[in-house]
């Protein structure tokens, strides 16, 4: 691939998903610049449809563990102003009627799971009144408690519905809308689609107008059927074979697991209990990182990914680092406005050997990303099936760490008489060992680390977020420094190390060490002198044991300048 094509693909983040896919295909020579994209046809039967590839994986995961809520996608938005609750409920149900995916359940027919689409579905909008007499801190606790309960409540894929919502009233003109959907019917992009449609519908219904939204050209089930049928085409199979060959070469002999230094042993069976730590990157740092990206013909995503890989390398000492990263995978224009699960996952593997400079590493990361973008048509599920990596119930295949730059359309909207804004929400789960999310908010960037609480403690993740910020600051200060030289420690950690290593003290020059010890015994006989596992000795007890050992050695004939060999495991006796 020539340099111009690399530069164009490197800037793909700035395009919509369908334009990204079209650009990649044209650069690969699969279509001419004036060739139209094949439209996805509507299916003839509207009763059922096969599962898409992402849905197949999620359905299988649900069958393996029906108690796992980690694939419940959840969101919370705050509404301030004069809220028309009936108009809001009507708007939400109009979205359900508009998108078949929200009326879908999954059942077994002839031994295979299929989508069953209900012709209609109307859901109530339950309202919970939180007294505005409560202190603000207690209100926040109540909101968080209810949000966690709703987001962790399990869905039945066969019965449905696979979405729920709740309206919390916390004041006369202050509300929080909680929305939870199973990942099998939605993805991160879908949430933005829902918010934009909700705003348009609410505006119309509040003013006694009809829906302003045009009819959708296709539905998610049309896409799923098209995807299944398309993969059987001879031309597409040839393309996929070439792409699979690329991934075999790219991911062959990759380490099965990235062993991060953990606070607890990795569970024998992967758990999904999790928590989140949020931090911010200043406007100044964000601006400097973007300027560096532009100078290096890279995207903001690539620069952050390279920095994250350095952090993981410095923690583990492993030079071969593979990270998962989701892509919207909405590679046809008709599906950009659909609610459904389209997301695909790319495995981005980078070699950090040779202690490169950051610029050199960023070039490696850019090359890996460009190659992945050019071969992104292979569904992750098919990739796992083809590569057959070493499998374990203890960790996910191919990667255990995820990185995501959240650049989906904003869901913060302004309505007449009502302000709508997103709220941070956490359902207490983690899909992977560690996931780093970076979201641009105005001139700043907000980082969130989602982590498995059965592997890491909160204090460890807090340090990780600080180390990442120090690393980014060091990178923009001097991108020509080598990865082993870039700073990680905060100023307080550096001072702590200095304090720990400040062990110098003055001792009397006319006394031997055993005499100084005897003086300490007289001074603090009952103070603890030695601790080992569940045992301890005071200075007086230690002195008595030392005397008994000395008497025993003298009985054996040991005198001054006689060597005595010692063979003892680490212990109090030693």
């Amino acid at each position: 691939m020539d340099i111009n094509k690399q530069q164009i693909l490197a800037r793909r983040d700035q395009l919509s998903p369908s334009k990204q896919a079209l650009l990649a295909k044209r650069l690969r020579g699969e279509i001419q610049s004036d060739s139209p994209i094949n439209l996805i046809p509507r299916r003839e039967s509207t009763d059922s449809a096969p599962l898409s590839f992402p849905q197949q994986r999620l359905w299988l995961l649900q069958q393996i563990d029906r108690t796992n809520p980690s694939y419940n996608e959840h969101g919370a938005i705050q509404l301030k102003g004069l809220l028309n609750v009936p108009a809001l409920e009507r708007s939400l149900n109009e979205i359900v009627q508009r998108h078949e995916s929200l009326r879908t359940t999954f059942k077994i027919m002839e031994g295979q799971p299929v989508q069953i689409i209900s012709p209609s579905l109307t859901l109530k909008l339950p309202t919970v009144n939180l007294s505005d007499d409560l202190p603000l801190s207690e209100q926040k606790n109540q909101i968080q408690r209810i949000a966690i309960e709703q987001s962790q409540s399990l869905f039945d894929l066969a019965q449905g519905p696979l979405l729920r919502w709740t309206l919390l009233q916390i004041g006369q003109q202050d509300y929080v809308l909680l929305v939870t959907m199973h990942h099998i019917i939605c993805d991160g992009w879908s949430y933005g689609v829902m918010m934009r449609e909700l705003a348009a519908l609410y505006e119309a219904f509040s003013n006694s107008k009809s829906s302003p939204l045009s009819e959708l050209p296709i539905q998610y089930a049309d896409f799923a059927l098209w995807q299944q049928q398309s993969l059987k085409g001879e031309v597409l199979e040839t393309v996929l074979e070439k792409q699979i060959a690329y991934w075999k070469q790219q991911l062959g002999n990759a380490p099965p697991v990235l062993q991060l230094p953990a606070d607890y042993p990795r569970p024998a069976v992967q758990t999904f209990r999790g928590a989140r730590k949020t931090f911010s990157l200043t406007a100044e740092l964000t601006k400097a990182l973007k300027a560096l990206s532009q100078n290096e013909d890279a995207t903001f995503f690539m620069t952050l990914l390279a920095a994250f890989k350095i952090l993981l390398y410095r923690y583990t000492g492993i030079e071969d680092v593979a990270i998962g990263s989701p892509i919207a995978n909405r590679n046809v224009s008709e599906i950009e406005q659909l609610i459904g699960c389209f997301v695909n996952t790319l495995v981005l593997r980078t070699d950090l050997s040779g202690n490169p400079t950051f610029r050199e590493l960023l070039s490696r990361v850019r090359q890996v990303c460009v190659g992945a973008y050019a071969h992104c048509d292979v569904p992750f599920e098919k990739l796992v099936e083809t590569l057959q990596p070493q499998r374990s119930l203890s960790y996910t295949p191919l990667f255990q760490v995820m990185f995501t730059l959240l650049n989906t359309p904003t869901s913060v909207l302004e309505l007449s008489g009502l302000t709508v804004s997103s709220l941070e929400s956490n359902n207490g789960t983690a899909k992977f060992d560690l996931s780093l999310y970076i979201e641009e908010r105005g001139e700043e960037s907000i980082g969130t680390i989602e982590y498995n609480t059965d592997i890491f403690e909160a204090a460890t993740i807090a340090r990780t977020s600080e180390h990442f910020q120090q690393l980014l600051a060091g990178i923009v200060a001097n991108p020509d420094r080598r990865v082993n030289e870039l700073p990680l420690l905060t100023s307080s950690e550096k001072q702590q190390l200095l304090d720990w290593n400040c062990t110098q003290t003055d001792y009397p020059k006319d006394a031997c060490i055993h005499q100084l010890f005897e003086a300490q015994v007289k001074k603090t006989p009952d103070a603890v002198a030695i601790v080992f596992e569940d045992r301890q000795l005071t200075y007086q007890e230690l002195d008595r044991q030392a005397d008994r050992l000395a008497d025993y050695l003298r009985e054996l004939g040991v005198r001054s300048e006689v060597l005595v060999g010692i063979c003892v495991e680490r212990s109090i006796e030693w």
Side-chain angles (χ1 to χ4, degrees), residues 317-483:
I318 297 174
E319 297 175 337
D320 188 350
V321 179
I323 293 179
S325 185
I327 58 171
N329 202 34
R330 294 174 181 249
N331 49 14
V332 181
S333 58
E334 301 100 295
I335 64 179
E336 285 190 0
Q337 300 307 315
L338 288 182
I339 293 175
C341 183
F342 296 92
V343 66
N344 195 15
T345 303
L346 300 179
V347 184
L348 305 175
R349 180 186 182 190
T350 307
D351 176 17
L352 287 87
S353 64
N355 195 23
T357 66
F358 179 79
R359 290 186 197 273
E360 293 169 343
L361 178 63
L362 180 56
S363 177
R364 297 182 191 180
V365 169
R366 181 181 61 188
Q367 184 177 1
V368 167
C369 290
V370 169
Y373 298 153
H375 301 84
C376 64
D377 295 324
V378 182
F380 179 77
E381 296 72 25
K382 189 171 184 63
L383 189 62
V384 174
E385 175 187 335
T386 302
L387 295 178
Q388 294 187 344
Q390 177 180 321
R391 302 302 293 266
S392 171
L393 294 176
S394 182
Y395 53 82
T396 54
L398 298 182
F399 68 91
Q400 297 78 45
V401 176
M402 174 75 82
F403 173 67
T404 306
L405 178 62
L406 298 172
N407 57 358
T408 55
T410 179
S411 57
V412 179
L413 304 165
E414 292 288 340
L415 300 178
S416 57
L418 196 65
T419 301
V420 184
S421 58
S422 296
L423 288 181
E424 295 293 337
S425 57
N426 176 24
N427 69 347
T429 65
K431 297 181 180 70
F432 304 98
D433 293 357
L434 202 68
S435 297
L436 173 62
Y437 302 90
I438 302 292
E439 180 181 7
E440 296 181 60
R441 293 187 187 174
E443 296 182 348
E444 293 186 338
S445 297
I446 303 299
T448 300
I449 300 178
E450 182 182 270
Y451 61 98
N452 189 308
T453 53
D454 289 323
I455 299 178
F456 303 105
E457 291 184 350
T460 298
I461 301 303
R463 286 195 302 271
T464 299
S465 67
E466 293 176 344
H467 292 166
F468 187 61
Q469 294 173 74
Q470 291 294 319
L471 181 61
L472 291 174
I475 286 170
V476 298
N478 186 359
D480 291 312
R481 292 186 72 175
R482 299 196 175 275
V483 297

